[in-house]
């Protein structure tokens, strides 16, 4: 499970220019950001949050060398208000989307490149529908809306129709990929410039994990923080980025602080060449100033 934190140098530079004795890594994942922060700022403490227990276990093992300077908590970032000292952090970092760990374990069902069960739940312990159950129980209109709203898939109706007409249940990632490939004409697939299943997998993952609602709740909680703090978001699709951009603008208009990124920062050509998964990333930062 190779993991290179996206736009790490930019994240570290923002942190360097702000008070950074106590930092919240709200999307711990494999611990890439936390590890780099702990190494670069030897006097800081980092608390990592993740809704995925597998991520927590992996990161804790990886970061145990930092002793009491690092702690982890199994928690959705939308629940940060449950953290008793949430107002005591100087920096809050959130790297949105799916983690490399989740993509690297086929049985989690996040990757369209590996065969596994169509699960896609970031926390399998939660009582929520799997992606396979969403495909089975949703009607055609609902599926088309999910694919369009969360994947911005222009062929959402065509794919939704094919799914509901399928005579065989879609229980694995390969089942779904094969159906999408057989549904979309080859010339159209060549014009797409990306894997034909990419947007459908993204949409299902966002829907299964209620990611948009989770981000909305998080942003509302961050707005209510009572300390002077730096907030950094790295997002990977326009739905997330628009939400962050909208809230940052509203906060600035309400004189709650200042946007530090007039335009979102994006990865350098060298980073994209080195880590292709970073190509769609956008970084936005905000300095929250409250009494």
């Amino acid at each position: 499970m190779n993991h290179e934190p996206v736009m790490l140098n930019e994240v570290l530079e923002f942190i360097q220019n702000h008070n950074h004795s106590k930092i919240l890594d709200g999307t711990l994942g494999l611990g890439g950001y936390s590890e780099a922060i702990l190494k670069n700022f030897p006097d800081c403490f980092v608390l990592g949050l993740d809704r995925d227990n597998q991520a927590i276990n992996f990161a804790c093992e990886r970061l145990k060398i930092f002793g009491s300077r690092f702690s982890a908590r199994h928690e959705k970032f939308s629940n940060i208000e449950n953290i008793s000292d949430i107002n005591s952090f100087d920096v809050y970092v959130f790297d949105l989307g799916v983690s490399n760990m989740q993509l690297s374990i086929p049985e989690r069902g996040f990757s369209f490149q590996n065969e596994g069960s169509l699960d896609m739940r970031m926390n399998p312990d939660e009582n929520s529908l799997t992606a396979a159950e969403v495909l089975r129980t949703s009607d055609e209109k609902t599926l088309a809306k999910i694919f369009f709203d969360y994947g911005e898939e222009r062929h959402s109706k065509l794919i939704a129709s094919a799914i509901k007409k399928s005579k065989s249940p879609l229980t694995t990632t390969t089942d779904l990929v094969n159906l999408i490939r057989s549904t979309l004409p080859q010339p159209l697939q060549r014009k797409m410039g990306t894997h034909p299943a990419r947007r459908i997998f993204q949409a299902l993952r966002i829907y299964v994990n209620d990611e948009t609602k989770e981000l909305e709740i998080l942003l509302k909680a961050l707005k209510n923080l009572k300390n002077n703090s730096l907030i950094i978001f790295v997002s990977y699709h326009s739905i997330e980025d628009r939400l962050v951009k909208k809230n940052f603008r509203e906060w600035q208009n309400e004189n709650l602080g200042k946007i530090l990124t007039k335009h979102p920062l994006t990865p350098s050509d060298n980073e994209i060449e080195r880590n292709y998964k970073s190509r769609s990333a956008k970084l936005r930062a905000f300095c929250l100033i409250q009494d």
Side-chain angles (χ1 to χ4, degrees):
M1 289 185 285
N2 295 323
H3 177 57
E4 181 177 351
V6 174
M7 301 184 72
L8 177 60
N9 290 336
E10 290 84 348
V11 170
L12 294 176
E13 184 175 351
F14 275 111
I15 295 174
Q16 175 68 52
N17 295 322
H18 192 85
N19 294 333
H20 50 258
S21 62
K22 195 171 182 181
I23 298 172
L24 179 81
D25 182 352
T27 46
L28 179 60
L30 293 173
Y33 282 108
S34 288
E35 181 180 50
I37 290 167
L38 289 161
K39 285 181 176 178
N40 280 272
F41 309 113
D43 295 325
C44 79
F45 166 81
V46 174
L47 172 64
L49 306 182
D50 208 291
R51 66 195 294 184
D52 190 327
N53 251 328
Q54 279 188 300
I56 292 288
N57 294 335
F58 186 96
C60 284
E61 178 64 25
R62 177 181 183 176
L63 302 177
K64 66 182 181 182
I65 59 172
F66 296 102
S68 61
R69 293 182 54 217
F70 172 78
S71 181
R73 180 164 169 172
H74 182 217
E75 190 76 82
K76 295 192 292 185
F77 59 46
S78 60
N79 291 334
I80 63 168
E81 290 181 315
N82 292 343
I83 300 171
S84 59
D85 60 344
I86 191 58
N87 285 293
S88 66
F89 291 85
D90 303 301
V91 181
Y92 303 80
V93 181
F94 303 93
D95 178 25
L96 304 175
V98 65
S99 75
N100 274 11
M101 185 206 71
Q102 290 160 337
L103 289 171
S104 299
I105 302 175
E107 56 266 30
R108 298 294 298 272
F110 288 97
S111 175
F112 47 77
Q113 296 177 325
N114 300 301
E115 176 156 20
S117 174
L118 265 177
D119 192 316
M120 296 196 192
R121 291 173 298 171
M122 290 184 175
N123 181 2
D125 297 328
E126 290 180 358
N127 186 22
S128 57
L129 295 178
T130 65
E133 290 169 332
V134 170
L135 295 179
R136 179 174 54 83
T137 61
S138 301
D139 59 32
E140 183 177 325
K141 183 177 180 180
T142 299
L143 284 180
K145 182 173 174 58
I146 290 170
F147 299 156
F148 185 80
D149 288 352
Y150 299 129
E152 299 175 306
E153 173 57 68
R154 286 181 290 178
H155 311 290
S156 56
K157 292 181 179 179
L158 178 62
I159 295 171
S161 176
I163 288 171
K164 298 315 294 184
K165 290 177 181 177
S166 176
K167 296 179 181 179
S168 302
L170 304 176
T171 59
T172 71
T173 54
T174 303
D175 291 340
L176 181 56
V177 169
N178 288 341
L179 181 139
I180 294 170
R181 286 193 181 279
S182 65
T183 299
L184 300 178
Q186 284 296 323
L188 178 58
Q189 293 185 45
R190 288 193 291 270
K191 287 181 180 179
M192 292 174 77
T194 185
H195 195 289
R198 181 183 300 276
R199 293 180 182 273
I200 299 300
F201 271 66
Q202 172 187 302
L204 280 172
R205 190 203 80 226
I206 292 173
Y207 182 81
V208 165
N209 296 288
D210 207 7
E211 292 179 38
T212 303
K213 184 65 175 178
E214 291 290 307
L215 180 55
E216 289 173 345
I217 296 171
L218 170 64
L219 287 163
K220 183 178 179 181
L222 292 173
K223 178 183 177 180
N224 294 326
L225 292 175
K226 301 300 181 184
N227 62 327
N228 298 342
S229 52
L230 171 66
I231 299 172
I232 301 172
F233 276 98
V234 179
S235 60
Y236 298 89
H237 58 76
S238 58
I239 301 169
E240 296 170 335
D241 183 58
R242 282 196 298 264
L243 267 174
V244 174
K245 177 182 178 180
K246 174 179 176 289
N247 279 268
F248 280 7
R249 284 185 172 179
E250 290 176 354
W251 299 355
Q252 182 165 271
N253 290 339
E254 295 174 27
N255 296 317
L256 299 180
K258 181 180 180 181
I259 295 173
L260 303 180
T261 45
K262 183 176 181 181
H263 302 289
L265 303 186
T266 55
S268 65
D269 292 340
N270 286 338
E271 179 170 3
I272 294 173
E273 184 177 350
R274 189 175 66 249
N275 180 14
Y276 185 66
K277 292 178 181 178
S278 71
R279 69 196 180 282
S280 62
K282 292 183 178 180
L283 185 154
R284 294 184 186 271
F286 191 93
C287 184
L288 194 65
I289 304 173
Q290 296 189 351
D291 297 329

